[in-house]
């Protein structure tokens, strides 16, 4: 059984560190395969701040995570969140409380790393009977050697219909806490032209717009422009779009909304020809090339649509032609772990062909901004971690 422990958590109002703890939880559960997450500390400075467990619960429910998250209040805490110290657990066949489990781990591994300041470290250990072994320390800030060097090119805003809690200042704060160089806000262009119901039902991708039977428009572009005017005094960000494309290969961006200097991503979010694999593959290539021809800088979550929209693994015979298109148009391939598993075989081909790699968190929740631990792990496995400067997409 693998246990993750974050100790000494001590947020202060508005410092966003609760989102780093949420990141630690997702890192531990999804990528380190922890079976249980324990956190101890002072969770809030006032009774109103004691809502943190709700944030975690929402995120657990949304991602359908069964792994438990237990909070243990520091005895000195003035304000407390629901305490799990006396909650009973079964650890490798043995019953014990959360407090006893924490103590057992502490006795075996010594003092815990502290999760209250950079680089925000937590511990994982494995338990087998009396044995506590394989203790490892993980950090949620970026590794020292890349601090200040990486840009998260795929961050959503509060205008995304699928935003969980995104805000521009929140994302910029998370970028600073994490050690990013910059972020690029890239809102779904289709969501800025159509109401949520039509967008999610693919009314525009199927029926087009600006004609009698087409999808009606509900322009929110002025809201998007106003958002960045409001934060024009802030540094460390650019903005553009995650461009949608319809079944006729029309890209959802009007000329009047196409501003110079925008960093645009392109994404295939729907496919229609599901009954016929050769036609489906052709459709995917056509929509992809339409985005590249239009002039995007980055292809967002390449091939995700096959898993999401068609319930299948991406056809591997598309990897070479898509990499060739990216090379032809000078567009980067994104590594994206947001509800997505990138295909290392495809990225290997991209690297061989000299196609740049872009890092994108696809943040819909603030905990995700700059959450690049999985991306960096994959780049290590691909053997290019030592030459990130030359393989990564930069502005
Ligand atoms: Fe997307």
């Amino acid at each position: 059984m693998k246990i993750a422990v974050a100790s000494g958590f001590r947020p202060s109002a508005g410092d966003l560190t609760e989102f780093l703890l949420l990141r630690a939880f997702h890192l531990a559960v999804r990528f380190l395969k922890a079976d249980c997450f324990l956190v101890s500390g002072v969770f809030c400075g006032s009774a109103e701040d004691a809502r943190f467990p709700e944030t975690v619960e929402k995120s657990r429910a949304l991602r359908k995570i069964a792994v438990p998250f237990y909070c243990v209040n520091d005895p000195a805490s003035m304000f407390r969140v629901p305490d799990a110290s006396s909650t009973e657990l079964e650890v490798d066949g043995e019953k014990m409380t959360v407090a006893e489990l924490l103590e057992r781990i502490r006795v075996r591994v010594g003092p815990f790393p502290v999760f209250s300041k950079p680089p925000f470290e937590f511990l994982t250990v494995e338990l087998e009977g009396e044995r506590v072994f394989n203790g490892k320390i993980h950090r949620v800030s970026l590794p020292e050697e890349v601090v200040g060097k990486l840009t998260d090119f795929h961050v959503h805003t509060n205008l995304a219909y699928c935003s969980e809690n995104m805000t521009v200042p929140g994302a910029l704060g998370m970028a600073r806490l994490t050690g990013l160089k910059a972020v690029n806000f890239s809102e779904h262009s289709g969501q800025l032209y159509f109401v949520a119901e039509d967008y999610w039902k693919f009314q525009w991708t199927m029926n087009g717009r600006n004609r009698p039977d087409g999808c009606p428009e509900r322009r929110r572009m002025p809201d998007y422009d106003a958002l960045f005017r409001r934060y024009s005094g802030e540094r460390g960000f650019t903005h553009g779009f995650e461009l949608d494309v319809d079944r006729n290969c029309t890209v959802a961006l009007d000329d009047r909304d196409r501003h110079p200097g925008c960093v645009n991503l392109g994404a295939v979010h729907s496919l229609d020809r599901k009954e016929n694999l050769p036609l489906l593959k052709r459709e995917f290539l056509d929509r992809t090339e339409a985005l590249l021809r239009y002039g995007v800088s980055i292809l967002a979550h390449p091939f995700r649509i096959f898993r999401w929209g068609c319930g299948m693994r991406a056809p591997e015979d598309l990897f070479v032609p898509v990499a060739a298109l990216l090379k032809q148009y000078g567009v980067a391939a994104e590594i994206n772990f947001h509800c997505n598993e990138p295909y290392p075989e495809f990225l290997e081909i991209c690297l061989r062909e000299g196609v740049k790699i872009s890092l994108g968190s696809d943040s819909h929740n603030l905990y995700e901004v700059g959450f690049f631990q999985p991306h960096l792990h994959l780049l290590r496995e691909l053997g290019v971690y030592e030459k990130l400067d030359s393989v990564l997409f930069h502005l």
Side-chain angles (χ1 to χ4, degrees):
M1 185 175 191
K2 191 183 248 191
I3 312 283
V5 182
S7 179
F9 180 55
R10 187 179 280 269
S12 50
D15 72 358
L16 299 170
T17 54
E18 68 269 34
F19 295 107
L20 290 184
L21 184 61
L22 189 54
R23 177 181 305 176
F25 176 63
H26 284 279
L27 175 60
V29 171
R30 178 172 169 199
F31 297 99
L32 306 173
K33 306 295 178 203
D35 302 293
C36 178
F37 193 96
L38 308 177
V39 53
S40 67
V42 178
F43 291 85
C44 41
S46 70
E48 299 82 62
D49 288 348
R51 294 187 306 260
F52 170 67
E54 283 172 36
T55 309
V56 177
E57 280 317 306
K58 265 194 206 160
S59 189
R60 280 181 75 224
L62 193 67
R63 301 272 174 265
K64 299 185 172 65
I65 296 172
V67 171
F69 181 97
Y70 293 120
C71 296
V72 174
N73 295 278
D74 191 289
S77 303
M78 264 235 293
F79 302 98
R80 300 163 73 88
V81 296
D83 194 282
S85 301
S86 52
T87 301
E88 228 175 47
L89 301 172
E90 192 167 312
V91 180
D92 204 26
E94 185 185 350
K95 284 213 162 78
M96 64 179 79
T97 64
V98 165
E100 287 165 347
L101 174 59
L102 265 177
E103 192 50 28
R104 175 176 289 188
I105 298 170
R106 196 191 315 269
V107 165
R108 302 294 156 80
V109 304
F112 293 145
V114 176
F115 198 87
S116 60
K117 57 181 194 301
F120 298 97
E121 291 177 327
F122 68 99
L123 172 80
T124 55
V125 290
E126 290 180 57
L127 278 84
E128 201 177 85
E130 292 282 301
R131 273 184 359 113
V132 177
F133 61 104
N134 211 9
K136 286 189 180 144
I137 292 176
H138 312 271
R139 53 191 282 165
V140 295
S141 296
L142 288 170
E144 213 61 66
E145 63 275 16
V146 297
V147 166
K149 294 184 179 167
L150 304 180
T151 296
D152 187 341
F153 282 100
H154 193 158
V155 175
H156 288 282
T157 70
N158 51 301
L159 291 178
Y161 294 138
C162 35
S163 164
E164 294 167 33
N165 56 18
M166 295 304 294
T167 64
V168 169
L172 296 177
M174 287 301 290
R176 282 190 291 274
L177 264 183
T178 303
L180 283 177
K181 177 182 171 196
V183 297
N184 179 57
F185 293 100
S186 50
E187 202 47 83
H188 299 107
S189 65
Q191 296 194 5
L192 298 171
Y193 288 119
F194 309 107
V195 297
E197 195 186 353
D198 286 342
Y199 182 83
W200 294 125
K201 289 184 175 166
F202 303 109
Q203 293 293 351
W204 164 70
T205 58
M206 288 188 302
N207 304 319
R209 61 172 161 156
N210 299 330
R211 53 182 213 216
D213 59 342
C215 181
E217 267 187 35
R218 157 73 172 86
R219 271 179 67 81
R220 296 194 302 151
M221 277 294 173
D223 301 345
Y224 195 54
D225 289 340
L227 185 61
F228 295 109
R229 269 201 307 277
R230 197 178 317 147
Y231 296 108
S232 58
E234 299 277 350
R235 297 167 68 86
F237 76 90
T238 51
H239 73 279
F241 302 98
E242 180 180 3
L243 293 173
D244 287 292
V245 59
D246 76 2
R247 71 185 316 174
N248 299 315
C249 292
T250 304
V251 172
L253 193 66
D254 295 345
D255 284 346
R256 61 177 159 162
D257 299 321
R258 192 176 183 178
H259 303 306
C262 278
V263 181
N264 291 330
L265 286 66
V268 177
H269 284 132
S270 68
L271 289 174
D272 298 331
R273 314 303 267 283
K274 293 172 193 169
E275 74 295 342
N276 182 318
L277 187 58
L279 287 180
L280 186 73
K281 290 196 281 190
R282 186 68 259 159
E283 185 188 15
F284 176 78
L285 285 173
D286 288 346
R287 289 200 197 192
T288 298
E289 185 163 12
L291 289 162
L292 307 190
R293 198 185 306 116
Y294 185 84
V296 299
S297 301
I298 299 159
L299 181 63
H301 47 70
F303 305 108
R304 191 187 73 181
I305 184 60
F306 286 98
R307 191 78 75 196
W308 277 38
C310 315
M312 61 185 281
R313 204 183 135 78
E316 292 193 12
D317 54 356
L318 289 178
F319 291 172
V320 168
V322 171
L325 285 172
L326 292 172
K327 184 177 183 177
Q328 180 188 340
Y329 287 95
V331 173
E334 183 185 66
I335 298 182
N336 178 322
F337 281 92
H338 175 78
C339 307
N340 180 51
E341 294 294 335
Y343 291 93
E345 311 88 325
F346 167 67
L347 293 164
E348 261 172 27
I349 298 168
C350 288
L351 288 164
R352 211 163 48 229
E353 292 297 319
V355 169
K356 297 286 186 192
I357 304 297
S358 175
L359 304 183
S361 64
D362 206 348
S363 292
H364 291 70
N365 185 308
L366 288 173
Y367 86 80
E368 296 175 290
V369 179
F371 180 14
F372 283 162
Q373 277 75 4
H375 303 62
L376 297 175
H377 179 75
L378 177 55
L379 287 164
R380 262 187 210 286
E381 290 199 325
L382 291 166
V384 293
Y385 189 80
E386 305 307 324
K387 46 179 181 176
L388 292 182
D389 268 353
S390 62
V391 301
L392 290 184
F393 171 76
H394 297 284
L395 283 181

